[in-house]
Amino acid sequence: MSQSTFCRPKLLINNKEVAFCNSASLSSSEGSLESFNATITEPDLENINLFNEKVEFYLNYGGEDGVPIFRGHIKSFKASDNSIN
């Protein structure tokens, strides 16, 4: 079964969709803020400072979500030769 037939996650940075998001994870625990981690191989984001940029992640499980599963701002990122984490 193709992933795009039932679940179509969407990552937005500054209201622009990221086409090449290889992985994403969301974690939270009682008494602490949620954290979201993603690995991006988007060529358009290579030389851009992403600090404090707005992030939204929609799971879109079974249809288009009206509210993101995560909304926040980038507090740290690590760029390498072939990806951004």
Side-chain angles (χ1 to χ4, degrees):
M1 182 174 169
S2 173
Q3 181 184 9
S4 64
T5 59
F6 193 68
C7 181
R8 193 172 202 164
K10 180 169 52 172
L11 175 63
L12 301 175
I13 297 178
N14 264 358
N15 298 319
K16 294 179 184 173
E17 186 172 359
V18 175
F20 301 104
C21 180
N22 295 352
S23 67
S25 65
L26 180 68
S27 62
S28 66
S29 61
E30 278 189 49
S32 71
L33 296 173
E34 293 181 345
S35 71
F36 177 77
N37 298 302
T39 301
I40 302 168
T41 55
E42 179 80 35
D44 294 340
L45 299 176
E46 274 183 19
N47 297 317
I48 296 176
N49 182 6
L50 297 173
F51 185 73
N52 212 28
E53 297 291 337
K54 180 180 165 187
V55 174
E56 294 179 322
F57 184 69
Y58 294 84
L59 193 54
N60 295 334
Y61 191 70
E64 286 290 317
D65 292 342
V67 177
I69 193 168
F70 178 83
R71 180 181 289 145
H73 290 85
I74 297 175
K75 294 300 176 191
S76 68
F77 66 96
K78 181 178 172 185
S80 66
D81 290 339
N82 54 3
S83 68
I84 299 169
N85 293 317

